[in-house]
Amino acid sequence: MSMPSNNKIEDRALGALRNIIDDHATMGHEFHSMDKEMSWDGYIWIYKDINGTQDKRNYDDKVPVQIKGHVDKNRKYIGEHKITYSVDLEDLEVYFQDRGALFFEVFMSEDGKEREIFHASLFPVKLQFYLEKAEYKGNKKTINVTFTRMEKSADTIYAIVKQFSNESKKQGFGHEQLVQNAIKFGDFRKVTSITASAVGVNNDIEFMKRLGDGDVSFYGTIEGSPFQVPLEWHEDILHFLLKEINRGVYVNDKKYYEEYKVRISSEEEI
């Protein structure tokens, strides 16, 4: 089978996302082919009321996206849950000077019938991690970024886009003070409170999954300051949620425990 042209691969990659977005009640897209805009391939539009109309009164955000298409001839990526893929540092620098980017890597079979979509929510504190990592390693051109396979549903992509919108609005541009003053690991002992929120989750397990996918950022306050600032983001951190359940454990009506604890990891282990 002959390999499709670069234009055909790009069209298929853009089409894979367009088809899912078009299934949503109010999300919209504005994608550009043939690299017409520097470092971005367009935008995904979201609206405040997902069952409302696509007009100015209902406008929520215009999220910048980058979309790359590839033929996965040897099936190295199709079927995987997480992958790492090389990204140009020049693109990351451009995103960092702005509000970041929602980055998609689309892998497909040679005939285009199989398509796997991976995403990375590159909000500013996450970009800061990759740029600092590249500088430490001495990388000049590229850095490997972790991408997570995306479920092909309109509600899933809406939650990812809305989550990126929330995080990037909170953090602003990468070179602004909020990101530059992100709380470093060494200062975590000074943190008095930590908050995080995730769009479209119904329980703790779903929240921890989104955390493990790299879509969620933590924010903290430090003694003497009322302001919430982002916590430093790291790629290889495993998070745990520990809950105390004040409920008895019974077997055949006999109580063996008054309460118990549940620990959930960001790799969804319970």
Side-chain angles (χ1 to χ4, degrees), residues 135-230:
E135 184 177 6
Y136 175 78
K137 291 168 63 75
N139 293 26
K140 301 298 183 183
K141 296 290 187 181
T142 63
I143 187 76
N144 283 336
V145 170
T146 298
F147 291 81
T148 303
R149 187 179 66 200
M150 187 188 78
E151 180 186 337
K152 299 186 186 78
S153 80
D155 288 342
T156 296
I157 194 171
Y158 173 81
I160 290 170
V161 175
K162 178 61 177 174
Q163 185 73 40
F164 174 86
S165 171
N166 290 350
E167 304 293 5
S168 61
K169 283 178 178 178
K170 287 180 184 177
Q171 295 173 19
F173 289 7
H175 292 291
E176 293 178 350
Q177 288 297 310
L178 196 64
V179 174
Q180 295 301 308
N181 291 325
I183 302 170
K184 301 293 185 182
F185 273 3
D187 293 326
F188 278 12
R189 54 187 169 77
K190 301 177 184 177
V191 174
T192 56
S193 67
I194 295 176
T195 62
S197 61
V199 176
V201 301
N202 297 306
N203 53 55
D204 297 330
I205 297 173
E206 291 181 7
F207 173 81
M208 295 302 288
K209 179 184 183 302
R210 297 291 301 282
L211 187 60
D213 289 347
D215 295 337
V216 179
S217 185
F218 282 105
Y219 300 83
T221 55
I222 292 182
E223 291 180 30
S225 173
F227 301 107
Q228 282 196 338
V229 295

Side-chain angles (χ1 to χ4, degrees), residues 229-262:
V229 295
L231 270 63
E232 182 180 21
W233 188 89
H234 270 250
E235 187 173 51
D236 300 320
I237 296 298
L238 185 60
H239 298 88
F240 293 92
L241 174 68
L242 184 66
K243 292 190 69 175
E244 293 187 2
I245 310 297
N246 296 312
R247 187 182 305 155
V249 178
Y250 296 82
V251 178
N252 295 329
D253 296 326
K254 182 178 179 180
K255 182 186 285 188
Y256 284 85
Y257 299 96
E258 294 287 346
E259 59 185 31
Y260 59 95
K261 295 178 181 178
V262 176

Side-chain angles (χ1 to χ4, degrees), residues 32-209:
H32 312 137
S33 60
M34 303 302 293
D35 295 323
K36 291 180 180 178
E37 186 168 354
M38 180 176 63
S39 297
W40 290 276
D41 286 318
Y43 304 90
I44 296 175
W45 298 75
I46 54 175
Y47 298 85
K48 294 175 183 177
D49 180 359
I50 62 172
N51 294 312
T53 56
Q54 296 184 16
D55 58 27
K56 295 176 183 178
R57 291 172 297 175
N58 200 28
Y59 171 78
D60 187 2
D61 201 3
K62 178 184 177 184
V63 171
V65 298
Q66 175 70 290
I67 306 162
K68 298 288 188 182
H70 316 273
V71 171
D72 190 7
K73 188 175 182 179
N74 298 318
R75 302 184 67 86
K76 180 180 178 182
Y77 302 104
I78 292 175
E80 294 296 315
H81 175 64
K82 279 186 182 292
I83 65 169
T84 58
Y85 208 79
S86 178
V87 176
D88 289 343
L89 287 171
E90 286 185 348
D91 284 336
L92 297 189
E93 281 283 5
V94 171
Y95 303 151
F96 191 63
Q97 292 177 45
D98 204 87
R99 57 183 291 199
L102 189 52
F103 205 122
F104 296 96
E105 298 279 7
V106 183
F107 294 90
M108 63 196 77
S109 56
E110 290 179 81
D111 60 8
K113 293 181 179 179
E114 290 184 81
R115 301 177 192 181
E116 206 81 273
I117 303 172
F118 295 83
H119 81 280
S121 297
L122 299 179
F123 41 77
V125 293
K126 200 169 177 181
L127 288 166
Q128 187 174 47
F129 164 79
Y130 283 117
L131 292 171
E132 289 178 352
K133 180 180 179 181
E135 184 177 6
Y136 175 78
K137 291 168 63 75
N139 293 26
K140 301 298 183 183
K141 296 290 187 181
T142 63
I143 187 76
N144 283 336
V145 170
T146 298
F147 291 81
T148 303
R149 187 179 66 200
M150 187 188 78
E151 180 186 337
K152 299 186 186 78
S153 80
D155 288 342
T156 296
I157 194 171
Y158 173 81
I160 290 170
V161 175
K162 178 61 177 174
Q163 185 73 40
F164 174 86
S165 171
N166 290 350
E167 304 293 5
S168 61
K169 283 178 178 178
K170 287 180 184 177
Q171 295 173 19
F173 289 7
H175 292 291
E176 293 178 350
Q177 288 297 310
L178 196 64
V179 174
Q180 295 301 308
N181 291 325
I183 302 170
K184 301 293 185 182
F185 273 3
D187 293 326
F188 278 12
R189 54 187 169 77
K190 301 177 184 177
V191 174
T192 56
S193 67
I194 295 176
T195 62
S197 61
V199 176
V201 301
N202 297 306
N203 53 55
D204 297 330
I205 297 173
E206 291 181 7
F207 173 81
M208 295 302 288
K209 179 184 183 302

